[in-house]
Amino acid sequence: MAAAASELQGMPEALAEGMSASGRTAEKLSLPSLQSKMKRDPDVYESELSLIYSQFKSLVELFEQQASHNFTSLSGVATDPTVAKDLGDRATFLAHVTPFYPKQLPQFPKELAQFLRSSSRALPSHLRVHVAQALILLINRQMIDIRETLELFMELQTLGDKVLRKLAFSHVIHSIRRLNQKHKNDSKNRELQSILFAMLQQEDEIKAKRALITLCELHRRKVWFDERTANAICMACFHTSSRIMIAALSFLIDYEKIEDDDDSDDSDSEDDQSAQQPMVVVNKEAIYKANNKGTTSSKKKKKAKLQRIVRNMKKQQRLQAEQNNNSNYYSPLNYLKDAQGFAEKLFSRLQTCNERFEVKMMLLKVIARTVGLHHLILLNFYPYLQKYIQPHQRDVTNLLAAAVQACHDMVPPDAVEPLFKQIVNQFVHDRSRPEAISVGLNVVREICLRVPLLMTEDLLQDLVLYKKSHEKAVSSAARSLVTLFREICPSLLVKKDRGRPSDPKARPKAFGEVQIASNVPGIELLEENDEESDDDVESGSIGTSNNDNESDEDVFPVEEDDQSDEDNVSEHAFSDFSIDHGTDDDNDSTDEQEDEELSDDDADDYRSEEEEEDEEELDGPSSRQGTSTPGSEDGEKKSKAQKRKFDDFDEELQAAGKSLRALKKLAGAKLGNDSSDTQDGILSNEDFQKIKELRAKKDARNALSQHGFKLPNSDQLSSKRVDAAKLEANIRKKLSKEEKLALIKARREERGKYQARSAVKQKKTGGQSNLQKERKKLMPIAAKRAKVAKSRQEKKKKQQRAGKQFRGRKAWK
């Protein structure tokens, strides 16, 4: 130790002699100037590098010897502040020049890390910070891997040095974030996670808490947004230390940060600071100056500043969008591997713990959110909640919100029914306060939204009567309950309360009932639309066929002679049929002929109607006259109408070529088959787009009929958090005297100073009055003269009346 001390005393002189002996300079160079020269020409300054490196080793050896003797405080040489400053300066100097001397300083990063690991508690605070900064510089320049130093920087956070703790924490977060910036490096992430997970499971409370804070921050920043990290944070709820359990519960409940008296400064992040900063707006002038004004270096600085502002704006917009969404999709509870085991284990800890009431409330919230999110069955949880359901209970709205969150459609109604009756009996009765009644009705509505089988007809009719209450909170809660059951089960309501429900036969699903899709969702909408379109087409075709028949008669008139001949032939045929009708042999022969004709028709059934029409047209009228029937005239008209339809077949075929289903519909109509278009299960892209449009129209119609009320499904209810403040909707809270005075003063400031009405009229800055406008009104000359003459006459009459007044003594006196 004495040799090391003597060597330390001769350091400055040796450095100056070595630098002057090289002949490059006669003056003593400072370390920053020497550092810049060594970066520009590394080969020339190897002797100076070896000298400074040997000095650093001597200082490290001295401090290690003191640490081996268990010095709690530095003494002797170490008490000199200049020695500590020299060691910090040399460590920083070597960290800067190490990338330029990889062969001369291959072991320096490991030596520096080992020195900080072994002597961190014995070093002074400012020296620890300098050595840590030098090591961070080496890690950033990839001279040493973060996997070798992660455990060291996690231990540095437990020393009680606030500056060093903040530096080490920010370094760990930014290093892991930079490691996964371009792509996820799974192999390195697993090694780093193993180190933090091992620290989290230790019984040392300080190390476990620092590991938990680091994992929560990385998960919140979505750097380690995987199942391993989420499950590690959730398993911290079972730590032996209550502080670790409270910190994990706080993060799972999605508090803004892990609140702790000692670590409140550490939990602050850049995202929180940027969220508190005001939004910066980039104007056109700044963009113009950055691109067109100034020198090249100033333009570069302005462009860099603009880029920073734009990045900050994008980050603020992203954070604001995430806050507006307010979804628990990013909660670690979503990634639990064994959600049922987690909930059961946490509930057993809740039953046996002796923590304060706030901690029990946090456990209740996490258990309820887990049960509702994963649709778990935890039957003992509902009787446990039933003990606390009282109107005078502390934080009863949070308890009720947890009870609602734990209800879902997979829970047996019998298990929730005692809790449900407890809420109704304790909150909703005539002697209860209006605030308690409104909260009870809101909770009943939320529970029935998730488990509608709990409600009975008599209970619902009793609860609906509260809609006549004079308290707004109570009446609105009762009306919301009526609105809910109009959608899920209108039959439970009285006829006057049903209104006009969208589905009068709606009923809640039985327990365990599941709807299985056997076809494409929305295909029924497409079939209904096809039927409507078919009805429109048929009505249009009937109208056109009538018009076609009329036009055919006009264009091709039937001659009267031919018509009379056909009538005669038909009369002879009827007379022959009536004469030969009596004999049995003739009847048998006619039956055989009919059977033969039917068999021929069955054999030739494959022929299309168009071919038969063509054959009839080729045979001509002569063939039709030989086999004339009483309905031959109608057959002629029908064949002519079908001929016109056959001419339009090409146009229909071209119009139907745009959709596969239209082609199949046309083919089915021609073949006479009334089969559905989706027998083969093939739908085109146009069909799916049509289904999407029809579904949107149906949703819009339902929204209009339901006045914007839409019934959420089970997944939406489970992912949605139940806010305790919404259970107290429309409740007027009593204001204290200070709040009333503050409200009165605020209203006084809003209105102006009191003034008389005349003063307000005098300060009027608007237009003129009607009298002023009348005086300045432009009139014709004749009207002006008449007005002047009239005023003169009125003036003379006034003067005459004034002169005749009796001013003497009264006659009766």
Side-chain angles (χ1 to χ4, degrees):
M1 186 180 294
S6 61
E7 187 177 353
L8 285 173
Q9 291 176 359
M11 274 186 194
E13 291 81 2
L15 180 60
E17 290 175 1
M19 295 176 64
S20 60
S22 61
R24 285 183 288 273
T25 179
E27 59 180 355
K28 182 179 178 181
L29 293 177
S30 62
L31 288 178
S33 60
L34 181 61
Q35 174 185 324
S36 62
K37 290 179 180 291
M38 292 176 72
K39 286 181 179 180
R40 284 179 289 180
D41 195 358
D43 298 334
V44 180
Y45 294 93
E46 291 184 0
S47 59
E48 285 81 356
L49 177 67
S50 60
L51 179 61
I52 295 175
Y53 187 37
S54 63
Q55 294 173 359
F56 172 76
K57 285 183 177 180
S58 301
L59 287 170
V60 169
E61 184 182 355
L62 177 62
F63 278 99
E64 285 180 351
Q65 290 176 0
Q66 290 182 348
S68 63
H69 287 81
N70 296 325
F71 284 114
T72 56
S73 62
L74 296 179
S75 60
V77 179
T79 55
D80 188 3
T82 58
V83 176
K85 184 178 183 302
D86 289 339
L87 178 58
D89 292 342
R90 278 157 180 75
T92 306
F93 175 83
L94 292 174
H96 277 281
V97 299
T98 298
F100 300 93
Y101 296 96
K103 295 181 180 179
Q104 290 81 2
L105 301 173
Q107 300 297 324
F108 172 70
K110 294 182 179 180
E111 291 175 358
L112 188 63
Q114 181 62 31
F115 168 66
L116 191 60
R117 185 180 292 106
S118 60
S119 305
S120 58
R121 296 186 180 275
L123 293 175
S125 175
H126 62 281
L127 182 58
R128 274 199 304 260
V129 173
H130 280 297
V131 176
Q133 288 175 346
L135 187 59
I136 289 171
L137 182 62
L138 290 171
I139 295 171
N140 292 339
R141 295 191 176 182
Q142 298 179 357
M143 302 304 298
I144 186 171
D145 197 357
I146 182 64
R147 291 174 289 184
E148 301 177 9
T149 59
L150 177 61
E151 190 174 357
L152 170 62
F153 279 100
M154 295 302 298
E155 290 179 357
L156 291 177
Q157 299 180 37
T158 62
L159 296 179
D161 190 350
K162 187 175 180 180
V163 178
L164 183 63
R165 183 170 66 238
K166 190 173 182 179
L167 177 66
F169 177 73
S170 61
H171 163 67
V172 170
I173 297 297
H174 288 94
S175 297
I176 299 175
R177 187 179 183 181
R178 191 165 50 248
L179 184 66
N180 297 275
Q181 191 169 10
K182 293 183 179 179
H183 59 86
K184 296 292 181 182
N185 196 337
D186 293 331
S187 59
K188 288 187 177 180
N189 283 336
R190 285 186 174 274
E191 295 181 13
L192 298 176
Q193 285 173 354
S194 301
I195 296 172
L196 291 177
F197 294 167
M199 289 186 65
L200 183 59
Q201 294 173 2
Q202 293 180 6
E203 294 184 358
D204 189 357
E205 184 179 339
I206 300 176
K207 290 184 178 180
K209 187 171 181 62
R210 297 312 308 174
L212 177 62
I213 291 173
T214 305
L215 289 173
C216 291
E217 184 67 18
L218 290 170
H219 189 275
R220 190 183 65 81
R221 289 174 178 261
K222 300 179 185 177
V223 179
W224 283 355
F225 198 63
D226 53 353
E227 293 183 0
R228 294 190 70 200
T229 308
N231 282 273
I233 295 172
C234 294
M235 291 301 113
C237 297
F238 308 119
H239 199 274
T240 55
S241 174
S242 61
R243 295 184 65 190
I244 304 300
M245 179 189 70
I246 293 170
L249 292 172
S250 302
F251 181 76
L252 292 177
I253 297 172
D254 202 15
Y255 287 162
E256 294 181 358
K257 56 183 179 180
I258 299 176
E259 296 182 356
D260 195 352
D261 297 336
D262 298 332
D263 300 323
S264 60
D265 296 334
D266 300 336
S267 60
D268 294 337
S269 61
E270 293 181 358
D271 294 342
D272 297 333
Q273 294 174 1
S274 62
Q276 295 175 0
Q277 294 176 356
M279 180 68 74
V280 180
V281 181
V282 181
N283 53 6
K284 294 182 179 179
E285 185 178 358
I287 298 174
Y288 178 77
K289 287 181 179 179
N291 293 315
N292 298 308
K293 287 190 176 183
T295 59
T296 305
S297 60
S298 64
K299 286 180 182 178
K300 193 178 294 184
K301 291 179 181 178
K302 292 175 185 176
K303 288 180 181 179
K305 184 178 179 181
L306 279 178
Q307 290 176 357
R308 287 196 300 271
I309 292 173
V310 170
R311 284 198 300 268
N312 191 17
M313 290 172 63
K314 289 181 179 179
K315 184 184 291 185
Q316 289 179 359
Q317 291 174 359
R318 186 180 69 251
L319 291 174
Q320 188 174 4
E322 291 177 358
Q323 291 176 0
N324 293 336
N325 291 337
N326 196 18
S327 173
N328 67 341
Y329 176 74
Y330 301 116
S331 174
L333 293 174
N334 291 12
Y335 301 100
L336 281 171
K337 293 181 179 178
D338 185 12
Q340 183 71 34
F342 173 79
E344 291 177 356
K345 193 174 179 180
L346 200 62
F347 181 58
S348 64
R349 181 160 188 172
L350 171 64
Q351 290 176 321
T352 57
C353 73
N354 295 322
E355 299 290 338
R356 59 185 188 273
F357 181 75
E358 291 82 359
V359 179
K360 290 186 177 181
M361 280 298 301
M362 295 169 71
L363 286 167
L364 275 172
K365 289 181 181 178
V366 173
I367 294 170
R369 189 172 298 176
T370 307
V371 170
L373 191 63
H374 295 276
H375 290 189
L376 305 179
I377 297 177
L378 196 64
L379 300 181
N380 295 332
F381 184 63
Y382 305 101
Y384 183 84
L385 284 174
Q386 189 176 349
K387 298 186 298 183
Y388 297 96
I389 301 300
Q390 299 288 339
H392 60 272
Q393 175 65 41
R394 178 183 173 189
D395 292 339
V396 67
T397 52
N398 290 325
L399 281 167
L400 292 172
V404 172
Q405 187 80 53
C407 295
H408 52 86
D409 54 355
M410 299 301 294
V411 179
D414 299 338
V416 193
E417 188 176 3
L419 176 64
F420 184 73
K421 289 183 178 180
Q422 176 83 1
I423 294 171
V424 174
N425 295 332
Q426 292 292 333
F427 286 86
V428 187
H429 56 84
D430 295 338
R431 294 185 179 182
S432 182
R433 293 178 301 167
E435 295 86 358
I437 295 174
S438 62
V439 170
L441 289 173
N442 289 330
V443 173
V444 168
R445 183 194 69 237
E446 292 294 331
I447 292 179
C448 290
L449 184 61
R450 292 159 173 80
V451 190
L453 296 174
L454 292 171
M455 183 59 70
T456 60
E457 186 175 359
D458 296 336
L459 178 59
L460 180 60
Q461 291 177 6
D462 292 341
L463 296 178
V464 165
L465 294 177
Y466 282 96
K467 69 180 182 180
K468 298 180 182 180
S469 175
H470 297 289
E471 294 289 337
K472 181 181 178 182
V474 177
S475 60
S476 61
R479 290 194 188 98
S480 65
L481 192 63
V482 173
T483 305
L484 173 64
F485 276 91
R486 281 179 182 174
E487 298 299 325
I488 60 176
C489 190
S491 59
L492 294 179
L493 293 169
V494 186
K495 186 175 181 181
K496 64 178 181 180
D497 293 330
R498 293 175 189 173
R500 188 177 295 174
S502 58
D503 188 6
K505 297 181 180 179
R507 63 170 185 86
K509 293 190 294 184
F511 175 67
E513 181 182 354
V514 180
Q515 294 180 355
I516 301 174
S518 60
N519 207 336
V520 178
I523 192 67
E524 64 277 0
L525 300 176
L526 197 62
E527 292 175 355
E528 292 175 2
N529 185 54
D530 292 342
E531 291 176 0
E532 293 177 0
S533 61
D534 290 340
D535 294 339
D536 296 339
V537 169
E538 288 177 2
S539 61
S541 64
I542 290 170
T544 53
S545 63
N546 294 333
N547 296 333
D548 292 340
N549 291 334
E550 293 175 359
S551 61
D552 290 339
E553 291 177 358
D554 294 337
V555 176
F556 304 103
V558 181
E559 296 182 359
E560 295 180 357
D561 296 334
D562 297 336
Q563 188 174 1
S564 61
D565 294 336
E566 290 175 2
D567 293 335
N568 295 329
V569 172
S570 62
E571 288 176 359
H572 289 298
F574 274 112
S575 62
D576 296 337
F577 180 75
S578 60
I579 292 170
D580 298 331
H581 191 265
T583 60
D584 295 334
D585 298 336
D586 294 334
N587 290 335
D588 296 336
S589 63
T590 53
D591 292 336
E592 292 175 358
Q593 291 177 1
E594 288 176 1
D595 292 336
E596 291 176 358
E597 290 175 0
L598 289 172
S599 62
D600 294 338
D601 292 340
D602 293 335
D604 297 337
D605 194 19
Y606 68 92
R607 295 186 302 171
S608 62
E609 295 177 0
E610 287 80 10
E611 293 176 354
E612 293 176 0
E613 290 173 5
D614 293 338
E615 290 175 2
E616 289 177 2
E617 289 177 1
L618 290 172
D619 293 340
S622 59
S623 62
R624 287 193 294 269
Q625 288 177 359
T627 59
S628 61
T629 59
S632 61
E633 185 178 356
D634 296 337
E636 263 185 42
K637 294 180 180 180
K638 186 175 180 181
S639 63
K640 291 178 181 179
Q642 288 176 351
K643 181 180 179 182
R644 294 291 301 269
K645 288 182 182 179
F646 180 73
D647 295 335
D648 297 336
F649 178 72
D650 293 335
E651 297 179 1
E652 293 180 3
L653 189 62
Q654 292 176 359
K658 299 179 180 179
S659 175
L660 178 62
R661 294 181 62 259
L663 281 171
K664 292 192 289 185
K665 187 195 301 184
L666 183 61
K670 291 298 179 184
L671 293 173
N673 296 328
D674 194 14
S675 61
S676 62
D677 299 328
T678 59
Q679 283 184 351
D680 53 356
I682 299 175
L683 295 176
S684 63
N685 294 331
E686 292 83 1
D687 301 332
F688 285 107
Q689 187 66 25
K690 188 68 176 177
I691 291 174
K692 188 176 180 181
E693 293 175 359
L694 293 173
R695 187 178 295 173
K697 290 180 181 179
K698 183 180 179 181
D699 293 341
R701 286 195 299 268
N702 293 337
L704 289 174
S705 62
Q706 298 170 6
H707 302 285
F709 178 77
K710 185 178 181 181
L711 199 65
N713 55 22
S714 179
D715 295 334
Q716 292 174 348
L717 289 172
S718 62
S719 61
K720 182 182 178 182
R721 298 177 187 173
V722 180
D723 190 4
K726 291 183 179 179
L727 299 178
E728 301 176 352
N730 299 321
I731 295 178
R732 291 184 179 181
K733 296 183 179 180
K734 293 183 179 180
L735 300 177
S736 62
K737 186 176 180 180
E738 292 78 10
E739 293 175 347
K740 290 180 180 179
L741 289 175
L743 188 61
I744 292 170
K745 289 180 180 179
R747 289 175 179 174
R748 285 178 180 175
E749 292 176 357
E750 290 177 0
R751 69 187 184 193
K753 186 179 178 182
Y754 175 76
Q755 289 180 342
R757 186 173 294 180
S758 59
V760 174
K761 286 184 177 181
Q762 290 177 0
K763 292 182 180 180
K764 182 181 178 183
T765 57
Q768 297 176 347
S769 63
N770 291 335
L771 185 59
Q772 292 173 346
K773 291 177 182 178
E774 185 69 25
R775 290 174 181 174
K776 294 185 177 182
K777 188 174 180 180
L778 297 177
M779 301 173 64
I781 297 176
K784 286 183 179 181
R785 289 177 180 175
K787 188 176 181 180
V788 171
K790 187 176 181 180
S791 62
R792 286 177 183 174
Q793 291 175 2
E794 289 180 355
K795 191 175 182 180
K796 286 180 181 181
K797 290 180 181 179
K798 188 176 180 181
Q799 290 176 355
Q800 290 175 2
R801 286 195 300 269
K804 290 181 178 180
Q805 287 181 356
F806 179 74
R807 297 181 181 277
R809 182 176 149 183
K810 302 298 181 184
W812 57 85
K813 286 186 179 180

